[in-house]
Amino acid sequence: MTRLKEFLESGVNPEDHLDTIAMLASLDYIEKGSKRVAKAIEQELVDQRNSLKLIASENYSSLRVQMTMGNWLTDKYAEGIPFQRYYAGCQNVDDVESYAQELGKKLFNAESCTVQPHSGCDANLAAYLAILSEVIENSKVKDMGKSLMQMTHKEYEVVRQEFTKARILGMSLKDGGHLTHGFRNNFSGKLFDAYSYGVDPITERLNYDEIRAQAKEIQPHILIAGYSSYSRKVDFSIMRSIADEVGAVLLVDMAHFSGLVAGKVFEGVYDPIPYADVVTSTTHKTLRGPRGGIILSKKRFEEGLKRVCPLAQGGPLEHVIAAKAVAFEEALTKDFQNYARRIVDNAETLARHFIDEGVRVITGGTENHLMVLDVFSSYGLTGKEAEERLYRSGIIVNKNALPNDSRGVIQTSGIRIGTPAITTLDMGQNQMLDVANFIVRCLKGEDPAKIRADVQQLKARYPLYKAISLGKLCHTN
Ligand SMILES: *Cc1c(COP(=O)(O)O)cnc(C)c1O
């Protein structure tokens, strides 16, 4: 019997379970043509159900978001921007994309929004290129009185060389920044003259005076704020004043914490939108939407950012853009604001439990959705060993270098833990004590099988996509 048939015969009211029915029907249908793919999709649900997802950059998007991605909007080429496309027949994707833009502006209170970036990385690539076009290229264009197309090869080469001399200053990868902020094995460290700031070795926090001094010395074209593994809030009013002092454009990459901005947990000087010239983000981390990127900006950069295509991409993924609109609608609700608040409450509680257990938490705690634990000084384990041991216990985290980590980025001395996903499952303060206990028991060397059983017992009380029952393919688990 198919999954769908089994479900419908269980006596449920179909109207109440359209999401489940749609998902079961698609699995049944995919399986008819592609057994192997259907099995991987189904097995992923089994695995996500059986494990505790503590990866700080992951979440569980709604089934509505997921379904919105799986349809014929993917078949439409829509290079250009809404109502100004290169190909005909874009009336429906124009409608969806302009709606997503409007919602993005409303959600973040931004002057301008583009929803075309395929990912957080692409959003940063497009943002850098658009900013540098504005601040480097446009002045040359004015000086020469010629557009890029009218320049001779030699003239254009002068402009292009200026681009490669562009200086960017962002948080270093090893202290919690992202690869796209100037890491040498990323486009940002290859195309630009990239510099980085770190955290203070004692407090393990940003030292704004230090950043200011560095910025004065380097005179960056773009000052970048934002992080992937830093557990403290950033004061964007100070970053703005530093950018102003050196004449830099301020770009904030809120990939990790955009859900906390949308949910109004980060307000005032901790909300980057009023302070930054350009703000980039993913849509799939705390924001809980489809895998993708967005760029918000002040009016000054609006024109440049309309050109994500051709600057950095070709045709936008309109099926994903439609899902971004659905996710923004969800994020505009009171429920989402409560969710965002609970992510941070849970993280604070979890960090407190670790500290009570004598675990060294970097910076002494957290003010956002994540924390970094020093597992080497606490348990004599490298981050890699801790990650593997936790994985065997059904707990999914990632190893993470600590500031000034002597064990490098492959072994590391730490792990990063985040609460966005387990908060989506509705876990609260009491469950954080369980989660901390599982991790501490595991790192102290208790039998992983025993912990795994306890993890599954907890997870069974917080089911993922509750009504979806699984078919025959994965019943070995
Ligand atoms: C995750 C992340 C990105 C990249 O996002 P992808 O969608 O994986 O490309 C960029 N910047 C920061 C700060 C991030 O944390």
Side-chain angles (χ1 to χ4, degrees), residues 57 119-122 124 178 180-181 226-228 253 255-256 282 284-285 291-292:
S57 48
S119 67
C121 269
D122 289 4
N124 283 341
H178 190 257
T180 52
H181 301 178
Y227 53 78
S228 299
D253 178 351
H256 255 265
T282 59
H284 51 274
K285 296 182 182 176
R291 187 162 294 278

Side-chain angles (χ1 to χ4, degrees), residues 173-470:
L173 182 61
K174 64 178 186 51
D175 283 11
H178 190 257
L179 356 142
T180 52
H181 301 178
F183 183 54
R184 288 185 182 165
N185 278 322
N186 175 263
F187 70 84
S188 55
K190 296 197 182 293
L191 301 184
F192 311 122
D193 185 14
Y195 298 82
S196 58
Y197 56 83
V199 294
D200 182 273
I202 307 297
T203 64
E204 299 173 317
R205 300 184 191 209
L206 293 177
N207 177 337
Y208 296 104
D209 294 335
E210 196 63 42
I211 299 172
R212 189 183 306 272
Q214 258 183 297
K216 280 185 174 163
E217 165 118 20
I218 293 159
Q219 296 284 317
H221 294 86
I222 307 177
L223 176 65
I224 307 160
Y227 53 78
S228 299
S229 61
Y230 180 66
S231 61
R232 296 290 160 178
K233 295 194 276 200
V234 176
D235 184 326
F236 297 111
S237 72
I238 303 179
M239 295 305 282
R240 174 77 259 166
S241 74
I242 297 172
D244 285 341
E245 269 182 57
V246 301
V249 172
L250 178 61
L251 183 149
V252 176
D253 178 351
M254 62 171 184
H256 255 265
F257 56 88
S258 54
L260 305 182
V261 177
K264 304 205 184 305
V265 177
F266 282 4
E267 293 191 291
V269 297
Y270 305 113
D271 173 357
I273 313 295
Y275 298 100
D277 299 291
V278 177
V279 178
T280 57
S281 183
T282 59
T283 48
H284 51 274
K285 296 182 182 176
T286 48
L287 194 51
R288 208 165 63 178
R291 187 162 294 278
I294 49 168
I295 310 175
L296 307 157
S297 76
K298 293 277 196 289
K299 279 277 176 227
R300 177 183 173 200
F301 292 100
E302 184 173 35
E303 276 308 308
L305 287 166
K306 279 181 182 165
R307 296 183 297 128
V308 171
C309 163
L311 269 181
Q313 289 180 185
L317 310 175
E318 294 294 344
H319 55 306
V320 180
I321 287 173
K324 287 173 188 171
V326 169
F328 294 164
E329 283 176 341
E330 291 175 358
L332 278 160
T333 61
K334 260 263 161 316
D335 266 1
F336 189 86
Q337 291 182 12
N338 290 334
Y339 165 65
R341 180 74 260 162
R342 285 189 295 114
I343 292 176
V344 178
D345 289 347
N346 280 342
E348 281 171 355
T349 304
L350 192 54
R352 208 163 343 100
H353 288 315
F354 284 127
I355 291 165
D356 290 347
E357 286 286 346
V359 183
R360 194 171 90 79
V361 179
I362 301 308
T363 75
T366 178
E367 296 165 335
N368 57 21
H369 61 294
L370 70 84
M371 68 208 72
V372 179
L373 309 186
D374 178 349
V375 289
F376 198 86
S377 78
S378 308
Y379 298 103
L381 296 169
T382 66
K384 187 162 187 278
E385 288 163 346
E387 177 191 295
E388 281 164 7
R389 195 180 283 190
L390 286 163
Y391 180 73
R392 286 201 301 279
S393 307
I395 300 169
I396 318 273
V397 304
N398 62 279
K399 65 181 184 208
N400 208 99
L402 309 179
N404 299 306
D405 201 319
S406 58
R407 276 163 209 89
V409 295
I410 305 296
Q411 296 300 322
T412 82
S413 307
I415 56 172
R416 186 184 65 164
I417 291 180
T419 52
I422 55 174
T423 306
T424 294
L425 294 180
D426 232 9
M427 289 191 194
Q429 309 278 304
N430 294 338
Q431 290 68 49
M432 294 308 113
L433 183 55
D434 293 333
V435 171
N437 283 339
F438 296 156
I439 292 173
V440 168
R441 282 165 52 195
C442 177
L443 298 180
K444 280 183 175 166
E446 198 179 313
D447 177 17
K450 229 169 114 196
I451 300 167
R452 181 179 260 280
D454 290 345
V455 165
Q456 293 195 3
Q457 208 170 40
L458 173 69
K459 280 305 298 286
R461 285 168 33 217
Y462 296 90
L464 174 63
Y465 312 127
K466 176 158 68 190
I468 297 181
S469 54
L470 296 170

